[in-house]
Structure formats: C-alpha cells, structure tokens
Amino acid sequence: MKKAWLYTAVLCAVLLGGCGFTDTPNELMRAPSADGDQKSINQAVMQFLPPGSQLTVPLHPSEASAVTLQDLTGDGIPEVVAFFKTEKTDYEIGVLVLTQKQGNWAKLASFSGIGSELDYIAFEDLNGDKVPEMLIGLGGGENLNKELSVYSIQEGQVQELIKQPYSVMAVGVLTGTGLSDLALVLHDHNNFTSKVDIYGAKDGKLAKLTELPLDGGINGYEQAIIGKASPTKNGLFIEAGLGAHSASTELIVWEDGKLHNPLAKVDGEMDLTFKPYSLYSEDINGDGIIEIGVTTQPPGTDDLSMAEIPWVSSYFQWDEMSGLKPIEEHYQNYLMGYDFHIPAKWEGKYTITSSAQDPNSMLTRFFYYADNGKTKAELLTLQTVSAQEWVKFESMLKQKQVPYIVLKEGTKQVLVAIQPQVTPNLGRSAKQEYKAMLLTPEEIRNQYKQLSMPL
C-alpha cells in the first residue's frame, strides 16, 4: 500500500482515549510528501468538511490516517481522502474526496456510511485494473460484526463494488495471482458458525473467489493478517479468542487452487497453536516470514496462578514437512515496558520469576534451571526503580560492586539489568554450563528492546 503521507492513529488513541477525533489535519500530520502542499491541503480539507465535522482516525491498520493522498483515478495525480464524523449523529461516518483542478482543490465526492466507528481503511487494487479501490470498514461497537464496502471511482463517480459483513479482515497476496486478495473472516455469534471469504480479481472484476468454513465454537476473532508463511507460500493468519483468556491461531494457505488449513486440529490431538493468553502472529526475527506466537509456561512455575506465571512468548514458523518449528523465545513484560529476547544458549535450560516489590519497583529474575529444578542459579535480574530512588539505588550498587547495565532511563522509572556478583556453588559440569550461559553487557543490550503498550 502506497501512501503519500500518514497521520498517526496511535497518538490520537492515547491522547483522546481512542475516540478518533481531531480538529485539524495538522494535529495528526506526519511528514508530507515531496509533491504535496501541506498548507493548501489543510485548508482544502477544512473548507470542504461539512459544518460541525471532525476528522476521525481509522482503528486499523495501526498506520492508517484520517487524511491521505491516493491516486484513485489512475491519472497519476493523487486525490485527497478524508474521513470525518458530524455532530448530527454518532452512527454515521463521512468520506470526503478532493481532486485537483487547474491547481486548485475541488470536491470530487462526499458520501457516508452507517457505523459508530471507522474500523478499517485501505487502498488496494483488487480487480486488476492497476487503480486502487477504497476499502472502508465500519463498526457499531465492541463484539459486533462490522461491514466492509469497497468503492472505486469511475468517470468521476463513486461506485460501491461490494458490501459484506466481517469480524476481522486482511488484504494481501494469498491466491498466487500476484494481485492483492481480500480476506473477510466472519463469526456468527448466534449460530456458532464461522467462515473466511476470499475476494479478488476475476475477469477484470472484483468477485468472490472461494470460501472456507472455520470453527464456529469460539468467542470471537481478534486479528487477521496476510504474509509469508514459509519461504515459498503466503498465508492468512487468523487470531481467535477461545475462552476468557485462551486463544489459537488459524493458518490458511492456498494449495492446488483451494484454501487449506495445514495446522487444523485433529480430533483427539492437541491444538498446536493453542495458547493460554493471546499472542499475535508477527515476523519476530525480521526474516520476512510470519511466526505464530504461543505463550508457554516456564518450568518450575506449576504452583503459581495463571496471573502470576511469567509467561514466555514462543514463536514458531510453519514448516511444510514437520508442522511448526521453534524460532525464538521472548519474555515480554508490558508493565515494565520491555521485550527480552531469550538467548539461544539459554533455551531449555532456564526459568523465570517475576514479582513487584512495590508499585514503583518490579523484579524479573532469569535462572539457570537443570535437573528438574534441583540445580538452579541466577543468570540475570531486570529491575525497575523509580527515578526518585535511582541515585540512591545506583550508589548502593556501586558501593557493593554489583555489575549492572542501565537499559532505559525515563522520567518516572529506570530499567536496570543486574548481573550475578559471585559464581554459585554448582557441580563441575553444571558450573561449566552455567558459565557458558552468562551474558556480557553487550549481549544484554542486544537482547533488550523497548516494548510499546498495546492499544
């Protein structure tokens, strides 16, 4: 998807409580494109918005904008597309399309749809005419299905190509034609049925290509993305909520001209993608292939409650021959705001404990763990300290000659990594294995990254 400039939905969600409103385009603007006149577009949008209107930011995808530039007519000159709500009703989303005429902006179209929230927007060529269509998804609130409309501009007129309900949706190359496909995943809460419909180009038009029934006995769908599932195949990754917390991932691929779920649960066998808590699929290691996330329990924590367990985020790639193969393990602590990539030399030989000493200090410890817990020794401690207490705490560390690395120093908290001060009393072979697992300050910094709070 090509955009000339973007506005940040994340900032709006944080500052405005997710309402999606702003008074002027400037409040959401990122850097404009080289061929766009920021000032004139600001003025044009505000000029043509209906009285009492406010811009509204799409909820999905995260990088979507309240205002964007798109060439919707195929003439090489981008149009301005703006999304707004009016004071008249809470159940209507407006779309404003502006075009350039003799160097000035003019209104090409203005229309609206029924919905209280702008759930999804995208601009993709779905029918193969090399001109992007407008995909606009509107919702009525939490736990309700949404409705997607796909529009094209032909001879200066906006035409609605399809209108379909969905729970979650994704756009990307799935069927192998090289063109973008549209995946609409729908869960019928009343009849306990689910399915995925695939739309794409057929004989120069946007048409439904195929569908696949899914498990209807779920709580609902949370996310869908299309991307590389293996070096040779793309896939549709669908995140489903099963119970109060539990979840699973459906992987749908295109094989022999039809949709196929290679990881489908076999009766009497465990669901390979079942997870006690949701963990969305993503390309965790940057290799271009999407990994399936599964929350796993570290050893020695069986006596803890679900909420007390320091869950490990384990990521797997689909292997066409063997199913799922492990790729990476991470400890992701949103309260402390970090992602710690578990070193490969730790895997299968470590455990984690996590506790809060007080509201301003949280402690996570990584231990060497062998002989089913009979052999245990601390590898690393990650601790948050309030900014007010940091000078005193750091002085104590220096006084006791405790090795430490400051990973993040914020206005409210400091995150510090504390290394073991002495070698524990272990057997010869265990001591050698333990020493090999210790990390250098550089390795600790490389394993750490800041974690953004999910919206």
Side-chain angles (χ1 to χ4, degrees):
M1 185 187 308
K2 184 178 180 181
K3 292 189 176 182
W5 85 59
L6 299 173
Y7 295 78
T8 172
V10 174
L11 179 61
C12 181
V14 172
L15 296 181
L16 303 179
C19 66
F21 290 107
T22 182
D23 291 331
T24 67
N26 268 337
E27 295 182 17
L28 295 179
M29 186 169 291
R30 291 184 180 177
S33 66
D35 60 353
D37 183 344
Q38 172 180 327
K39 185 177 180 180
S40 70
I41 293 174
N42 287 353
Q43 293 173 343
V45 169
M46 300 314 296
Q47 175 188 349
F48 288 104
L49 281 180
S53 299
Q54 291 180 307
L55 296 175
T56 184
V57 179
L59 299 175
H60 306 101
S62 60
E63 71 273 13
S65 325
V67 179
T68 187
L69 284 174
Q70 294 288 335
D71 179 10
L72 299 175
T73 59
D75 61 0
I77 303 174
E79 282 71 41
V80 169
V81 183
F83 303 95
F84 63 91
K85 295 187 76 171
T86 68
E87 295 176 345
K88 295 180 180 179
T89 175
D90 290 331
Y91 295 95
E92 191 173 28
I93 305 292
V95 183
L96 173 67
V97 183
L98 305 180
T99 188
Q100 292 190 62
K101 290 185 177 180
Q102 298 178 345
N104 296 315
W105 290 104
K107 184 167 72 173
L108 176 63
S110 182
F111 57 96
S112 62
I114 303 300
S116 61
E117 61 185 21
L118 180 55
D119 177 69
Y120 188 97
I121 69 110
F123 300 89
E124 293 284 348
D125 176 17
L126 296 176
N127 58 12
D129 64 358
K130 300 183 180 179
V131 179
E133 284 74 53
M134 289 186 287
L135 287 69
I136 303 176
L138 304 181
E142 191 175 356
N143 299 323
L144 296 176
N145 283 325
K146 301 107 179 175
E147 192 167 62
L148 175 76
S149 291
V150 178
Y151 300 94
S152 70
I153 296 180
Q154 300 174 12
E155 299 179 354
Q157 300 294 317
V158 175
Q159 296 187 9
E160 187 177 58
L161 303 182
I162 63 169
K163 177 182 283 188
Q164 292 293 328
Y166 71 96
S167 302
V168 293
M169 59 173 291
V171 179
V173 178
L174 182 65
T175 60
T177 63
L179 297 173
S180 292
D181 299 298
L182 167 64
L184 297 178
V185 184
L186 180 65
H187 178 224
D188 187 327
H189 298 266
N190 297 322
N191 296 315
F192 301 102
T193 60
S194 295
K195 66 171 182 172
V196 55
D197 291 332
I198 306 297
Y199 290 81
K202 185 176 182 180
D203 300 326
K205 296 182 179 181
L206 176 59
K208 182 176 174 179
L209 303 179
T210 187
E211 68 175 70
L212 182 71
L214 302 174
D215 181 10
I218 62 170
N219 274 5
Y221 292 108
E222 300 172 4
Q223 177 180 280
I225 57 172
I226 294 175
K228 292 193 73 66
S230 75
T232 60
K233 282 189 175 68
N234 283 10
L236 169 64
F237 298 79
I238 307 170
E239 309 297 342
L242 303 181
H245 302 290
S246 59
S248 68
T249 301
E250 299 262 15
L251 172 60
I252 309 298
V253 297
W254 182 262
E255 291 183 339
D256 301 324
K258 59 183 179 180
L259 298 177
H260 170 60
N261 185 348
L263 300 177
K265 180 182 177 181
V266 179
D267 289 342
E269 295 185 9
M270 191 179 81
D271 182 352
L272 294 176
T273 67
F274 173 83
K275 57 203 85 176
Y277 289 95
S278 291
L279 182 62
Y280 294 165
S281 303
E282 63 174 299
D283 179 10
I284 193 69
N285 60 353
D287 66 350
I289 300 173
I290 294 176
E291 284 78 38
I292 294 174
V294 177
T295 47
T296 56
Q297 184 175 353
T301 59
D302 292 339
D303 58 334
L304 300 179
S305 67
M306 290 281 289
E308 293 174 321
I309 295 171
W311 296 96
V312 176
S313 299
S314 301
Y315 291 89
F316 300 82
Q317 270 184 17
W318 173 53
D319 185 287
E320 298 182 39
M321 301 299 294
S322 59
L324 291 177
K325 63 178 181 180
I327 298 297
E328 289 185 357
E329 293 180 358
H330 292 246
Y331 178 68
Q332 298 169 328
N333 191 313
Y334 284 94
L335 291 176
M336 296 174 70
Y338 69 82
D339 178 326
F340 189 77
H341 176 197
I342 303 299
K345 60 185 178 182
W346 283 15
E347 292 179 9
K349 298 178 291 186
Y350 77 96
T351 192
I352 306 172
T353 65
S354 185
S355 62
Q357 295 182 325
D358 61 64
N360 295 314
S361 180
M362 293 190 67
L363 206 65
T364 299
R365 287 182 172 141
F366 300 88
F367 290 90
Y368 167 59
Y369 189 92
D371 301 326
N372 201 27
K374 295 178 181 178
T375 302
K376 189 176 178 181
E378 189 169 346
L379 292 164
L380 183 69
T381 296
L382 299 181
Q383 184 171 350
T384 57
V385 182
S386 70
Q388 294 178 337
E389 296 292 327
W390 171 241
V391 173
K392 180 180 178 181
F393 188 83
E394 185 178 33
S395 177
M396 180 270 294
L397 293 176
K398 290 179 178 179
Q399 183 179 0
K400 294 183 177 181
Q401 297 184 330
V402 177
Y404 70 95
I405 303 100
V406 176
L407 297 176
K408 180 186 176 184
E409 192 164 1
T411 56
K412 294 183 178 180
Q413 287 186 328
V414 176
L415 177 62
V416 58
I418 301 173
Q419 298 173 277
Q421 197 170 7
V422 296
T423 302
N425 185 19
L426 300 171
R428 182 177 178 181
S429 61
K431 183 178 291 188
Q432 289 178 341
E433 189 170 53
Y434 168 78
K435 286 184 174 180
M437 293 172 66
L438 293 174
L439 303 178
T440 66
E442 183 179 4
E443 287 176 318
I444 293 171
R445 291 189 182 95
N446 289 339
Q447 304 306 110
Y448 160 83
K449 74 174 181 180
Q450 190 171 337
L451 196 62
S452 300
M453 289 296 292
L455 295 176

